[in-house]
């Protein structure tokens, strides 16, 4: 007799609740496989976890993996980062979009499925979560206005690179002025004439109390903003001209400080491309 999967509930659930395309939420996770486990980790994530632990879940509708080879890791700053110690830690980055208004529904599922995966020995433990957080969307700033892909397309469009930037303030009430400055002044100026087509801005949310114990609770929930710069060029080709001074620009504003600026390139799904260039 086949297992009862409660199929009748799917029609009931599909008939209610938000179902737009806006990326109201994201999962952004930067992970460091332990030395000697790079190939095994990559195959586990590519062949199993990217799907069973992410894309197969309700309301998680787009995803992409990124990698920082050693030369990309060495471009990161600041050297003393509140995010990564050392700043080169976290050579893989995964980014996922979640439908606006479906955060709670998705979280119920993701906690349950990851407990099941762990119980069934389908979680790879020889890795460290350097930065893993669900995030709420705050803004998207475009270089070309209405032309070109929207943020809903960002994880499917063949961008050549991505820059992860984390900006922090000292007190929660300082975050709104920082966000407004980023959205209306800093990002439009930086995007103009640059190889970055858009920047999405998110704020981290706390992980649920019943999360998996190998993922640490999110820091900076009230004081951080997470920026994703989507590039039409390899970040190595434009780093000095467009990205090397982002920390200085934020510091000069007096509104916050950059705790991490880290470039990545997309992985090649289903392959071990770049795994031999991580160390």
């Amino acid at each position: 007799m086949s297992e009862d999967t409660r199929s009748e509930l799917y029609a009931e659930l599909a008939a209610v609740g938000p179902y737009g395309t806006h990326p109201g939420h994201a999962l952004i996770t930067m992970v460091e496989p332990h030395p000697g486990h790079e190939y095994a980790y990559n195959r586990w994530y590519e062949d199993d976890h990217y799907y069973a632990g992410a894309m197969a879940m309700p309301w998680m509708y787009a995803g992409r993996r990124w990698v920082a080879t050693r030369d990309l890791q060495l471009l990161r700053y600041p050297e003393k980062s509140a995010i990564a110690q050392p700043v080169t830690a976290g050579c893989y980055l995964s980014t996922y979009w979640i439908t606006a208004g479906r955060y709670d529904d998705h979280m119920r599922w993701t906690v349950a499925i990851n407990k099941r995966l762990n119980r069934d020995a389908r979680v790879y433990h020889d890795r460290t979560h350097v930065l893993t957080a669900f995030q709420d969307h705050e803004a998207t700033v475009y270089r070309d206005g209405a032309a070109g892909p929207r943020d809903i397309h960002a994880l499917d469009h063949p961008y050549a690179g991505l820059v992860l930037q984390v900006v922090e303030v000292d007190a929660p009430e300082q975050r709104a002025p920082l966000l407004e400055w980023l959205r209306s002044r800093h990002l439009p100026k930086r995007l103009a004439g640059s190889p970055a087509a858009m920047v999405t801005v998110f704020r981290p949310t706390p992980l649920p109390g019943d999360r998996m114990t190998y993922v640490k609770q999110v820091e900076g929930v009230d004081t951080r903003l997470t920026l994703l710069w989507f590039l039409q060029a390899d970040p190595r080709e434009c780093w000095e001209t467009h990205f090397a001074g982002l920390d200085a620009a934020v510091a000069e504003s007096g509104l916050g400080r950059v705790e991490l600026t880290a470039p990545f390139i997309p992985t090649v799904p289903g392959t071990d491309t770049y795994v031999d260039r991580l160390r």
Side-chain angles (χ1 to χ4, degrees), residues 91-112:
C91 54
Y92 280 107
L93 178 73
S94 295
T95 52
Y96 302 97
W97 289 169
I98 300 167
T99 303
R102 290 295 189 170
Y103 180 83
D104 291 341
D105 297 337
H106 177 77
M107 290 305 297
R108 293 284 294 273
W109 188 285
T110 192
V111 169

Side-chain angles (χ1 to χ4, degrees), residues 151-189:
D151 51 14
I152 64 171
H153 311 118
L155 302 185
D156 295 305
H157 187 79
Y159 285 112
L162 177 141
V163 175
L164 168 70
Q165 184 184 15
V166 179
V167 186
E168 185 147 19
V169 296
D170 290 325
E173 63 270 16
Q174 297 172 333
R175 187 164 64 179
L178 171 64
L179 174 62
E180 181 55 32
W181 175 78
L182 288 169
R183 177 167 40 198
S184 63
R185 297 179 60 187
H186 176 67
L187 294 178
K189 179 181 177 181

